Amino acid sequence: MYQTNYHRASSVDDAAAQFAKGTESKYLAGGQTLLPVMKQRLAAPSDVIDLARIPALIGIEVSGDAVTVKAATTHYDVAGSADVARAIPALANLAGMIGDPAVRYCGTIGGSLANNDPAADYPAAVLALGATVKTNKRTIAADDFFQGLFSTALEDGEIITAVSFPVAAKAGYAKMRHPASRFALTGVFVAQAKSGEVRVAATGASQDGVMRVPAIEQALKGNWSAAALDGVKVSADGLMSDIHGTADYRANLVKVMAQRAVADAG
Amino acid sequence: MSTVKLTVNGRAVSADVEDRTLLVHLLRDHLNLTGTHVGCDTSQCGACVVHVDGRAVKSCTMLAGQADGATVVTVEGIARGEELHPMQAAFRDNHGLQCGFCTPGMIMSAIDIVQRHGGKLDEATVRQELEGNICRCTGYHNIVKAVLDAAGRMKVAQAAE
Ligand SMILES: Cc1cc2nc3c(=O)[nH]c(=O)nc-3n(C[C@H](O)[C@H](O)[C@H](O)COP(=O)(O)OP(=O)(O)OC[C@H]3O[C@@H](n4cnc5c(N)ncnc54)[C@H](O)[C@@H]3O)c2cc1C
Ligand code: FES
Ligand code: FES
C-alpha cells in the first residue's frame, strides 16, 4: 500500500472539510472495497477520511412507508434488523447474502452504493425498490444514481448520508453467488410497489452495471408469478461474458433468478 | 505517522505507526503477536481474523488507525493461562487442523459464530458462516465437527460461570 494520511471524521461537515484539504482524498467506511484496492496499489489516496464512526451516519429508521438506512450502517446490522425484516424482508435477506460474516461486520450500504460494483447486491435493491439516495447536498432518485460500471451521480467529495427505501407490497431477491468471491454471478431483485408498479433490477449481468429488466417487468405486471416468466426471453445484448459465464448464460440466469425472487417474495 | 492506542488481549498498548499500517501488521510487527496470520492479499482467506470490539473482522482489511480506541482480542488472548479456550481444545480433539496456518482465523471466526448462534448452531450454519475462512488442508470436515463440539462445551462453560 502506498503512503496515505488517515483522518477520523467527527461529523459529516468535518468529513467534507477534511476531504477538501487533501490533494486526492477518499472517504473510507467499512474499508472492504477501498482497502483491498489500496493494498493492490490500484488506488493511492493522499488522505482517507473515515466516516464509520460518525453518529449521524449510523442507524435504521422504519416508518409505515419507508425504511431509511443511514450510510455507514453495516451489512450485519441491516441483515439482523428485526424492523427491516418486518418491513422489507428481502432487503434484510440481501444484506445477509453479502460476502462473509467478517465482510458484513465492516462493509456499509453507503460504501457499496458509492462503489457501484457491477456485481454488488445493494444496487439491485435500490433500483428495484425505487429508493432515494440522500447526500450531504441533495437527494438522488435510484434511476439517476447509477451511471454505469463503478460510476454514480455523486460529485467529487459528495457524501451519501442515507438511503430511503419505500416499503413495497411484495419484494424478493435471489442471487447465484460466485463461489469464490461470493459476489453475484447474477442477482435479481423484484418488487411490486404499493401503487402496483412492478420494477425488476439485475446485478452481475450487464456490462454497464445494475439494470432494469423491462421484459420481466412486463410479464409480472399482468401476472405476479414465477410461471408468468416461463416464456420470457431476456436478451443477451450488452451482458457480460467472461470465464465464469457467457452473455447467453447470464441472460438465462436473469430469468431463473427472477423466478426464484418472485417465489421468495410470495 | 500516528499514535494508535488500543487494548489488545486485556493490555493497554500504544504504537507509533505509519497511517497505511494495517491492523494485522500492527499486531504482528509492532506487538510481536504473530499468531494472527496473513494468508492472502485479497481479503478472502480469513487467516487474519481477530475480534475488534467483539466482532470477528479481517485484520488485513482494517487500518491500525481505524482500530484506535478499540478492544482487540487475538488468538493469543483466549486461553486462560495453560487452559485452552474450549474452541482451541475442540480443534485439537477433533483433529481440526493440519498445517495450522488457517487455524487462528478459524478459531476467532468460530468463537464469533458460536457467540451469535448459541445453542441453535447446526452443521449447515457452521459451513455457511465459515465461508470467509479458507483451509487448504483439512477439507473442512473436522473443522465443522470441532466448532459444533465447542458450541456444546462453551454452553457448559457458560452455565458453570
Ligand atoms: C471477501 C469479500 C466479499 C465480498 N462480497 C460481496 C458480495 O457478495 N456482494 C456485495 O455487494 N459486496 C461484496 N463485497 C464488498 C462489500 O460489500 C463492501 O462492503 C462494499 O462494497 C463497500 O462498502 P465499504 O463500507 O466497505 O466501503 P469502503 O471500502 O470503505 O469504500 C468504498 C468506496 O465508497 C466510498 N464511500 C464509502 N462510504 C461513502 C459515503 N457514505 N459517501 C460517499 N462515498 C463513500 C469510498 O470513498 C470508496 O471509494 C465483498 C468484499 C469482500 C472483501
Ligand atoms: S489475510 Fe486477511 S483475509 Fe487473507
Ligand atoms: S490446516 Fe492447513 S490451511 Fe487449514
Side-chain angles (χ1 to χ4, degrees):
Chain A
M1 192 186 292
Y2 291 109
Q3 293 285 2
T4 190
N5 297 302
Y6 170 83
H7 312 270
R8 190 181 285 182
S10 57
S11 67
V12 173
D13 287 346
D14 179 40
Q18 304 250 30
F19 187 99
K21 276 194 234 153
T23 50
E24 247 182 82
S25 302
K26 274 255 179 214
Y27 294 118
L28 175 71
Q32 301 302 294
T33 293
L34 184 57
L35 292 175
V37 171
M38 286 171 69
K39 290 200 295 186
Q40 308 278 345
R41 296 194 165 185
L42 295 172
S46 62
D47 297 78
V48 289
I49 322 294
D50 190 351
L51 307 175
R53 309 265 182 135
I54 299 174
L57 293 185
I58 300 168
I60 298 167
E61 282 162 14
V62 178
S63 69
D65 304 326
V67 171
T68 302
V69 182
K70 295 182 187 168
T73 308
T74 62
H75 308 329
Y76 175 77
D77 287 341
V78 174
S81 161
D83 289 338
V84 176
R86 222 172 293 123
I88 313 179
L91 187 60
N93 288 345
L94 173 148
M97 288 185 216
I98 297 175
D100 55 57
V103 168
R104 295 196 287 273
Y105 270 143
C106 295
T108 70
I109 189 169
S112 178
L113 296 179
N115 189 51
N116 194 19
D117 187 297
D121 295 294
Y122 267 130
V126 169
L127 194 57
L129 289 166
T132 309
V133 178
K134 299 185 179 170
T135 77
N136 59 336
K137 298 192 175 142
R138 56 192 166 136
T139 59
I140 308 169
D143 288 320
D144 303 325
F145 183 81
F146 302 106
Q147 304 201 340
L149 235 45
F150 297 105
S151 73
T152 68
L154 292 174
E155 287 162 12
D156 197 39
E158 191 168 2
I159 300 172
I160 301 176
T161 54
V163 187
S164 186
F165 297 91
V167 171
K170 289 180 175 180
Y173 184 60
K175 165 185 181 182
M176 176 66 86
R177 303 172 103 202
H178 186 289
S181 77
R182 295 177 285 280
F183 274 91
L185 193 56
T186 286
V188 176
F189 200 106
V190 299
Q192 187 186 73
K194 285 182 175 169
S195 66
E197 189 196 2
V198 171
R199 291 170 65 107
V200 174
T203 185
S206 164
Q207 292 169 7
D208 292 328
V210 66
M211 62 167 189
R212 300 264 302 268
V213 195
I216 291 180
E217 291 177 354
Q218 275 304 325
L220 289 179
K221 205 153 70 181
N223 175 5
W224 180 271
S225 73
L229 303 182
D230 284 342
V232 172
K233 193 161 164 38
V234 175
S235 164
D237 285 350
L239 299 197
M240 287 190 271
S241 258
D242 54 27
I243 55 166
H244 308 301
T246 61
D248 285 333
Y249 178 75
R250 283 189 164 86
N252 188 55
L253 260 188
V254 170
K255 174 172 130 180
V256 174
M257 289 302 114
Q259 290 181 308
R260 291 188 192 170
V262 171
D264 174 56
Chain B
M1 297 287 281
S2 300
T3 303
V4 176
K5 290 191 168 77
L6 61 173
T7 305
V8 179
N9 299 334
R11 194 163 56 97
V13 297
S14 168
D16 292 323
V17 295
E18 290 181 345
D19 284 17
R20 64 175 167 175
T21 306
L22 296 165
L23 176 59
V24 70
H25 293 134
L26 170 70
L27 295 170
R28 289 179 56 85
D29 302 344
H30 296 262
L31 304 176
N32 293 323
L33 293 170
T34 53
T36 302
H37 292 167
V38 177
C40 72
D41 56 8
T42 51
S43 303
Q44 285 178 307
C45 78
C48 61
V49 169
V50 302
H51 295 183
V52 175
D53 289 333
R55 293 181 164 193
V57 303
K58 294 173 183 172
S59 61
C60 75
T61 312
M62 178 176 278
L63 295 171
Q66 288 175 278
D68 187 30
T71 297
V72 176
V73 179
T74 72
V75 73
E76 289 94 341
I78 56 176
R80 283 196 201 162
E82 292 295 300
E83 188 194 338
L84 292 179
H85 184 281
M87 189 63 72
Q88 293 172 304
F91 265 69
R92 187 175 64 181
D93 295 347
N94 290 279
H95 203 71
L97 60 151
Q98 290 181 24
C99 80
F101 198 86
C102 69
T103 313
M106 285 286 178
I107 290 196
M108 298 314 283
S109 291
I111 292 173
D112 181 74
I113 293 168
V114 173
Q115 282 169 348
R116 265 186 292 120
H117 292 276
K120 283 181 294 188
L121 204 55
D122 57 23
E123 182 186 331
T125 309
V126 174
R127 287 187 184 275
Q128 194 189 342
E129 296 253 323
L130 280 178
E131 271 174 348
N133 291 81
I134 293 173
C135 176
R136 302 214 48 184
C137 303
T138 62
Y140 301 97
H141 196 62
N142 287 347
I143 292 177
V144 175
K145 273 199 332 210
V147 178
L148 290 169
D149 182 7
R153 298 183 194 205
M154 285 168 69
K155 219 164 58 187
V156 174
Q158 240 173 11
E161 268 173 21

